[in-house]
Amino acid sequence: MRLTTKGRYAVTAMLDLAVNAESGPICLADISQRQEISLSYLEQLFARLRRAQLVRSVRGPGGGYLLAMAPRDISVARVIDAVDESVDTTRCGGLSDCQQGDTCLTHHLWCELSEQIHGFLDGITLGQLAAKEEVRGIASRQRRRVDESDILASAP
């Protein structure tokens, strides 16, 4: 299965928005710091997520990004699809040219597995993930870590 950092980071950033939604708009720098994802990479991902209408931006002081709909309405598969990521287990990218231009013996097996994985991820929403106690605990730890590093950075 090929799920690159693009899909993983997009899901992570969107989940960060979901668990921190009560704070209002979230700036990408905050997500970058909490999730240890490059700010420039997040900017590229959020351009795609905005085009897919999964997030909306708020300009001005206190601006940032918000989920464009309720977390319960955004599936993990939809996020991955929005950043043009593929959950494909075939070697041929689903093109059926696995074996010197022809379909290989196990092509249909790997296609069905890809469909199962996509279906599994389509059945999980950001809302479900954000509601998990372990996810909320990790998010709380990340916020504390960032707050502590901000305090240390501002100390004389």
Side-chain angles (χ1 to χ4, degrees):
M1 182 181 116
R2 290 183 309 255
L3 179 61
T4 66
T5 54
K6 188 189 320 179
R8 292 177 192 276
Y9 284 176
V11 172
T12 299
M14 291 289 285
L15 185 55
D16 186 286
L17 280 182
V19 297
N20 292 296
E22 69 278 352
S23 305
I26 308 292
C27 71
L28 293 183
D30 289 347
I31 297 172
S32 173
Q33 193 173 16
R34 279 192 296 265
Q35 304 309 325
E36 300 178 358
I37 302 171
S38 141
L39 182 58
S40 62
Y41 200 70
L42 283 173
E43 289 168 347
Q44 294 171 32
L45 292 175
F46 272 73
R48 292 176 182 211
L49 294 166
R50 196 173 60 239
R51 277 193 300 272
Q53 300 178 343
L54 294 178
V55 297
R56 62 184 180 87
S57 61
V58 176
R59 297 189 186 276
Y65 284 90
L66 297 167
L67 296 176
M69 59 193 74
R72 71 177 176 273
D73 296 329
I74 303 173
S75 75
V76 171
R78 190 166 176 193
V79 173
I80 292 169
D81 292 342
V83 294
D84 297 327
E85 184 65 38
S86 165
V87 182
D88 179 23
T89 56
T90 65
R91 287 187 314 169
C92 64
L95 299 175
S96 300
D97 61 355
C98 342
Q99 201 168 33
Q100 301 168 6
D102 290 325
T103 305
C104 72
L105 193 60
T106 56
H107 176 81
H108 298 290
L109 169 69
W110 305 130
C111 282
E112 288 177 26
L113 177 60
S114 297
E115 290 169 13
Q116 290 290 319
I117 293 169
H118 193 275
F120 171 77
L121 295 174
D122 200 38
I124 300 171
T125 68
L126 294 179
Q128 290 169 318
L129 293 175
K132 289 183 176 239
E133 186 176 323
E134 58 270 18
V135 170
R136 298 198 79 62
I138 292 166
S140 179
R141 183 196 74 223
Q142 290 172 335
R143 284 189 295 270
R144 279 194 312 274
R145 187 190 73 223
V146 168
D147 290 345
E148 289 168 2
S149 76
D150 288 347
I151 290 169
L152 290 174
S154 65

